[in-house]
Amino acid sequence: MNTRPRSALSDTRLVIFDCDGVLVDTERIGPAVGADMAAEVGWPLTPGQVRHRFLGRPESYLYEQVRAHATAPVGPKWLDAYRKKVRNVFAA
């Protein structure tokens, strides 16, 4: 007799792990947000340039590079704003 409580996944028959951008094209969405936000602080980049420079690198590297190349001040909240915007765009 099984006395363990049923979990929310008890009836789950299939789980899809989208690790390569098939269901959500993260390799287009993220760089577009990065390009927009870099341009807002004076570093004009295309999404393709963002993809080439930052794909596979940590967000902290993106932040450091934007700070180094921006013509406007980039404060510590920039990275939080970037993450929030990426989440919102992915959700949409």
Side-chain angles (χ1 to χ4, degrees):
M1 172 194 270
N2 186 353
T3 59
R4 290 179 26 197
R6 290 181 58 132
S7 75
L9 296 177
S10 295
D11 295 327
T12 301
R13 298 188 64 197
L14 173 69
V15 176
I16 298 173
F17 294 93
D18 179 29
C19 299
D20 61 353
V22 173
L23 297 178
V24 177
D25 194 354
T26 57
E27 289 186 17
R28 290 182 193 227
I29 295 171
V33 171
D36 288 346
M37 291 191 64
E40 289 173 3
V41 293
W43 189 25
L45 294 169
T46 66
Q49 289 170 318
V50 171
R51 204 170 16 261
H52 176 75
R53 287 176 181 259
F54 304 111
L55 186 66
R57 295 186 180 253
E59 291 174 333
S60 59
Y61 179 75
L62 167 66
Y63 171 66
E64 292 165 9
Q65 291 298 301
V66 169
R67 285 189 65 200
H69 292 90
T71 58
V74 178
K77 294 190 181 210
W78 186 91
L79 190 53
D80 292 334
Y82 167 79
R83 289 174 178 147
K84 182 178 180 180
K85 191 169 185 178
V86 167
R87 279 192 310 270
N88 290 341
V89 172
F90 285 168

